[in-house]
Amino acid sequence: MIRSLAFNLYFYLGTLLVAVIGILLVPIPTPVLLRGLLFHWARAVVWGMRWIGGMKIEYRGLENLPEHGPVLLANKHHSESDGILLAARIRGIAFVAMQELFRYPLIGTILYRLQMIRVDTCGGGRERENLAQFARRACDSGRHIAIYPEGNLMVPGERERYRSGIYYLYRDLDLPVTPVATSVGLLWNRRDWRKKAGRAAIEFLPAIQTGLDKQTFMRTLEETIETASDRLIAEFSGRPYAPSQLVLRSQGQTGIGMPITAPRATP
């Protein structure tokens, strides 16, 4: 409990300080300095996770992460630290983020300047066009693009319907997709105040190559990410392997959700 409290103070006060510095950098014509600030802030958070909070995170499968972009990453989303851990490894990363984040004071202004990709998860075809436009800008700049196909923070061991936005990026940008599995939610679950000391991992998996039809791609992506995440959860929790449960959220719901199907079959 003491380590969790100490880390929270370090994280939230440090983030506030960095946000204030970021606002001062917003008027600069190029986002390069702001992206550098994001990278070094993320690395400082990862340092604090390890040495203050006792959260030791392993990066696995780095041979599957191309060094230079453009690259599409599809990530399991357990924790608000997921993006931080990616930003600490990939300088200049572009995240696909819900439009609500762009409305936050300070943070929204910085996200705009960083040229993050805004998306309305309920926006339909018009929003898909906006997503493609801003993602194309990031792609043309040679950036890594990270998207969370479920669109929500999930409890470890649960999954939600994968949204098709990732498929249209895969198709329209003609880029392979690198799936990313994680068990970080075991230590830092979603936006929980209390963190747990221990070990977890992020794993970059072999890329899904271009040319698949929508149904095949979506099925392959979901099975790849969920199976690998379930394996990591079993490894780091010490519990037997258990396939993730599908949950259904009501519109606007941000809680755990309600299971509506049986778990996936064990591979």
Side-chain angles (χ1 to χ4, degrees):
M1 183 65 180
I2 294 177
R3 297 191 79 166
S4 178
L5 176 60
F7 171 74
N8 282 325
L9 291 172
Y10 170 83
F11 172 64
Y12 290 109
L13 291 177
T15 299
L16 178 60
L17 175 61
V18 169
V20 172
I21 297 173
I23 285 294
L24 297 177
L25 296 177
V26 164
I28 297 175
T30 173
V32 171
L33 289 179
L34 202 53
R35 289 174 185 167
L37 179 67
L38 173 66
F39 176 73
H40 290 292
W41 166 76
R43 291 177 68 87
V45 173
V46 174
W47 180 91
M49 290 174 68
R50 173 66 179 92
W51 297 108
I52 300 176
M55 294 172 277
K56 185 177 181 181
I57 311 300
E58 300 176 22
Y59 289 92
R60 297 181 177 178
L62 290 173
E63 68 277 6
N64 296 317
L65 177 65
E67 183 177 354
H68 302 290
V71 175
L72 274 176
L73 304 171
N75 309 266
K76 185 68 181 177
H77 200 14
H78 281 165
S79 169
E80 65 181 353
S81 68
D82 292 334
I84 298 171
L85 290 162
L86 289 180
R89 173 64 61 171
I90 305 167
R91 187 186 287 266
I93 189 170
F95 290 99
V96 177
M98 292 185 297
Q99 65 176 359
E100 289 78 8
L101 294 176
F102 290 78
R103 298 171 184 159
Y104 290 171
L106 297 183
I107 300 299
T109 302
I110 293 171
L111 290 176
Y112 273 113
R113 195 69 190 92
L114 285 168
Q115 297 179 345
M116 298 302 179
I117 302 167
R118 186 178 74 255
V119 63
D120 179 358
T121 55
C122 301
R126 182 174 181 179
E127 190 59 33
R128 188 182 303 150
E129 293 177 5
N130 292 334
L131 173 62
Q133 176 185 346
F134 292 115
R136 172 61 67 183
R137 180 176 64 180
C139 178
D140 291 344
S141 299
R143 300 170 71 188
H144 289 63
I145 301 170
I147 184 171
Y148 300 102
E150 292 163 288
N152 285 296
L153 281 163
M154 304 303 298
V155 174
E158 294 185 352
R159 60 190 169 95
E160 193 174 357
R161 177 182 62 85
Y162 278 46
R163 291 163 172 79
S164 59
I166 179 61
Y167 169 74
Y168 293 105
L169 291 181
Y170 161 82
R171 183 196 67 183
D172 296 342
L173 300 178
D174 194 28
L175 289 175
V177 171
T178 300
V180 185
T182 183
S183 62
V184 174
L186 295 172
L187 308 180
W188 184 337
N189 184 21
R190 295 182 296 172
R191 297 186 178 90
D192 283 359
W193 174 261
R194 185 170 184 176
K195 281 74 175 177
K196 299 177 182 177
R199 296 171 57 246
I202 292 176
E203 184 172 359
F204 300 95
L205 304 163
I208 300 173
Q209 297 303 316
T210 58
L212 298 181
D213 62 81
K214 181 179 178 180
Q215 182 177 1
T216 304
F217 170 80
M218 295 300 297
R219 182 178 66 251
T220 301
L221 180 69
E222 180 173 347
E223 289 178 353
T224 300
I225 293 176
E226 294 300 323
T227 299
S229 294
D230 294 340
R231 172 176 48 78
L232 291 175
I233 290 169
E235 175 185 348
F236 287 99
S237 69
R239 298 190 295 264
Y241 177 93
S244 56
Q245 295 273 353
L246 179 65
V247 301
L248 179 65
R249 296 170 188 262
S250 301
Q251 186 173 4
Q253 182 181 348
T254 58
I256 294 177
M258 180 181 296
I260 60 171
T261 71
R264 294 179 298 106
T266 304

